[in-house]
Amino acid sequence: MAYFKAFVAALGLAFCAPAVADPGPPVAPNEVMVGDELPYAFFATPGGDGPFPALILLGGSEGGDRGSRGSAPQFLEQGYAVLGLPYYSPGYLPADRQLSDLPAGFDSIPLEKLAIARDWLRERDDIKEDGIGLYGVSKGAEFVLAGASRIDGFAAVVAIVPSDVIWEGWGPNATPGEVSSFSWEGKALPFVPYLGMEEEFKKYAIPGATVRLRTPQDAGRRANPERVPAARIRVENIDEPVLVAGGDADDVWSSGAMAQNISERRAATDGLETVALIYPEAGHALSGNGVQRTEGEFRYDDATLKAQQEIWPATLAFLARHLKGE
């Protein structure tokens, strides 16, 4: 509860009960909603005739459907069907963007959601059954790696700014240090706790302060080495090809080091294809397509933008090879 209150206060937003919200703007004229099993999940196909290769898209801890809807048009343009999978809707989102049927806390999110999405796609005549991939960013990357280590049936996995472990969860009813981000078969997964997250969140309210969310995560990992082995994502159990991309200058979490850990774990097992793209000076925003933002105050730094310009075409080539057979 303390983390959640601190985050709300830091952002200067009032916490209120989630309101009924409409999904974000359609990503394509033919967009449909998946249904009650996956609330607010959406599906769309590119122009032309199928069957199409498909990507299941997951955003990060920003929650809602903004991340998946933001990336969907780029993949539709490349000839992929997309299934956007929102899985968390924090109370600090604006009321009109809160998705009431999703959890307000990042607390034991079921990995089985990926299997439900996979099976829904498999039942469609316009989808290549052997051409379904996963694309996750940040906490969504943690999600897809943890899920693919337990669930078969994906042709490839892309994890942008990933984690190599399951981390502590949070939320309005969560006690710090006692909840996991994800669950499997109804049981919370072992996790690495934070150390000093609430103090770091409070810096949002200090003008000019630098907030580095990776600081309490790195501190928690150092302080709890005995918990890391159980929390480690078994990426060596993912038979499918995996692409990871991370930055050593990432202030959200140490995605560069964790991407390297993932690559090394898979390299220790013969026959596992892994593409690891790691950039010493790049930050967390590595899911862009290499084009500088022109709207809003946020702009990519030069190192992060340059990394995007390599990661995006490498991702497209990786997916084309494994989902399209090109």
Side-chain angles (χ1 to χ4, degrees):
M1 184 68 171
Y3 293 167
F4 193 77
K5 285 183 175 179
F7 201 7
V8 173
L11 294 177
L13 299 171
F15 174 69
C16 59
V20 176
D22 293 327
V27 299
N30 61 6
E31 178 185 310
V32 297
M33 304 308 290
V34 171
D36 293 341
E37 282 191 300
L38 295 173
Y40 297 101
F42 61 91
F43 171 77
T45 58
D49 299 324
F52 303 103
L55 281 169
I56 301 171
L57 308 177
L58 291 88
S61 59
E62 75 282 353
D65 61 0
R66 179 175 295 181
S68 53
R69 287 190 178 278
S71 60
Q74 299 173 91
F75 290 114
L76 287 166
E77 291 174 0
Q78 298 295 325
Y80 297 98
V82 296
L83 191 159
L85 184 56
Y87 53 91
Y88 156 68
S89 184
Y92 51 76
L93 285 177
D96 63 349
R97 298 303 309 131
Q98 291 173 19
L99 306 181
S100 59
D101 292 326
L102 296 179
F106 212 117
D107 182 353
S108 300
I109 305 294
L111 296 178
E112 287 88 347
K113 285 178 176 285
L114 296 181
I116 297 171
R118 176 205 62 193
D119 292 346
W120 189 89
L121 289 169
R122 282 177 166 178
E123 292 175 0
R124 296 186 62 92
D125 294 336
D126 55 357
I127 296 300
K128 289 177 59 179
E129 184 174 337
D130 61 352
I132 299 172
L134 294 170
Y135 180 90
V137 178
S138 194
K139 289 295 284 187
E142 181 183 337
F143 196 152
V144 300
L145 289 171
S149 73
R150 292 169 169 82
I151 302 166
D152 292 324
F154 303 108
V157 180
V158 175
I160 306 297
V161 290
S163 174
D164 65 329
V165 297
I166 301 297
W167 287 98
E168 177 181 338
W170 64 84
N173 298 311
T175 300
E178 294 189 4
V179 300
S180 176
S181 288
F182 296 103
S183 67
W184 175 248
E185 296 181 340
K187 296 181 180 179
L189 291 174
F191 63 92
V192 178
Y194 308 133
L195 181 61
M197 183 64 81
E198 184 173 357
E199 289 75 12
E200 196 67 25
F201 270 140
K202 289 178 180 178
K203 293 181 182 179
Y204 280 113
I206 303 173
T210 298
V211 180
R212 299 183 80 243
L213 297 182
R214 70 176 287 174
T215 298
Q217 293 177 90
D218 290 347
R221 189 165 184 153
R222 288 192 302 271
N224 297 277
E226 75 286 353
R227 298 184 65 164
V228 174
R232 185 175 58 78
I233 298 171
R234 271 38 181 189
V235 293
E236 64 274 18
N237 292 343
I238 304 175
D239 295 333
E240 298 81 9
V242 171
L243 182 149
V244 292
D248 289 331
D250 188 339
D251 281 341
V252 176
W253 61 13
S254 53
S255 63
M258 293 193 290
Q260 183 67 37
N261 290 344
I262 291 164
S263 177
E264 291 176 0
R265 291 294 306 187
R266 286 179 59 81
T269 303
D270 292 338
L272 296 181
E273 179 182 343
T274 309
V275 177
L277 306 171
I278 301 169
Y279 298 86
E281 297 180 358
H284 194 71
L286 296 184
S287 60
N289 62 359
V291 177
Q292 182 62 272
R293 293 169 61 107
T294 58
E295 298 179 358
E297 297 181 1
F298 177 81
R299 290 176 63 82
Y300 303 122
D301 61 88
D302 290 343
T304 298
L305 185 63
K306 184 177 179 180
Q308 288 182 11
Q309 291 166 353
E310 296 182 11
I311 294 167
W312 177 241
T315 298
L316 293 182
F318 175 82
L319 291 173
R321 184 164 64 253
H322 297 294
L323 272 63
K324 295 181 179 179
E326 294 179 356

